[in-house]
């Protein structure tokens, strides 16, 4: 399986913003770091596009992915289980490059598949 993380620089704007990244950092390195972390947790991760819609400068993708949980994720030790996840991604394109990303993944579904009950601690924070 070929995984060229340097390819992010070819399709991601230098001022790329990921609205799911709390660090506030900008640029292709943000995407590379996200994908690298994903592959550290799920080395065989594969993503499948279910639907894709583009209008003006926006692209919306509904996707599904799966991979074997072989690395620590959110302080959860590897289970060796194949985890499946669905998500939606919204990208904004400028100058032919992705400049903005926002999206949601079924994190609760992932936790349940890993044997974690995300609703155990119900105390307000």
């Amino acid at each position: 399986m070929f995984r060229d993380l340097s390819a992010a620089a070819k399709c991601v704007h230098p001022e790329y913003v990921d609205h799911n990244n709390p660090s506030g950092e900008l640029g292709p390195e943000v995407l590379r770091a996200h994908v690298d972390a994903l592959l550290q947790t799920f080395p065989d991760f594969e993503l499948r596009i279910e639907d894709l819609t583009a209008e003006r400068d926006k692209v919306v993708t509904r996707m599904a992915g799966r991979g074997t949980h072989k690395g620590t994720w959110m302080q959860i030790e590897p289970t060796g289980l194949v985890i499946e996840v669905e998500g939606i991604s919204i990208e904004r394109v400028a100058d032919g490059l992705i400049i903005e990303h926002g999206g949601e993944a079924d994190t609760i579904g992932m936790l349940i598949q890993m044997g974690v009950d995300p609703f155990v601690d119900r105390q307000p924070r």
Side-chain angles (χ1 to χ4, degrees), residues 71-101:
T72 303
W73 180 69
M74 293 180 56
Q75 301 173 347
I76 301 166
E77 294 298 318
T79 62
L81 298 170
V82 174
I83 305 299
E84 298 188 11
V85 63
E86 294 182 351
I88 295 176
S89 179
I90 302 171
E91 320 294 341
R92 186 170 68 85
V93 177
D95 302 322
L97 300 171
I98 301 168
I99 192 167
E100 194 172 359
H101 164 79

Side-chain angles (χ1 to χ4, degrees), residues 29-114:
E29 185 56 37
V30 173
L31 178 60
R32 277 196 299 266
H34 175 80
V35 172
D36 185 53
L38 179 71
L39 293 176
Q40 292 296 319
T41 304
F42 306 100
D44 60 347
F45 191 77
E46 293 183 356
L47 195 60
R48 182 177 69 248
I49 295 174
E50 301 288 345
D51 280 309
L52 186 135
T53 303
E55 188 173 315
R56 294 186 299 277
D57 65 345
K58 297 278 174 70
V59 178
V60 178
T61 309
R62 184 176 63 87
M63 60 199 109
R66 66 181 298 163
T68 308
H69 182 208
K70 292 187 175 184
T72 303
W73 180 69
M74 293 180 56
Q75 301 173 347
I76 301 166
E77 294 298 318
T79 62
L81 298 170
V82 174
I83 305 299
E84 298 188 11
V85 63
E86 294 182 351
I88 295 176
S89 179
I90 302 171
E91 320 294 341
R92 186 170 68 85
V93 177
D95 302 322
L97 300 171
I98 301 168
I99 192 167
E100 194 172 359
H101 164 79
E104 295 296 327
D106 181 14
T107 305
I108 291 176
M110 291 175 67
L111 291 168
I112 291 169
Q113 291 174 69
M114 291 176 186

Side-chain angles (χ1 to χ4, degrees), residues 6-28:
S6 67
K10 298 174 187 170
C11 58
V12 176
H13 197 280
E15 296 176 26
Y16 171 81
V17 174
D18 180 345
H19 294 289
N20 298 78
N21 179 8
S23 77
E25 295 176 23
L26 302 176

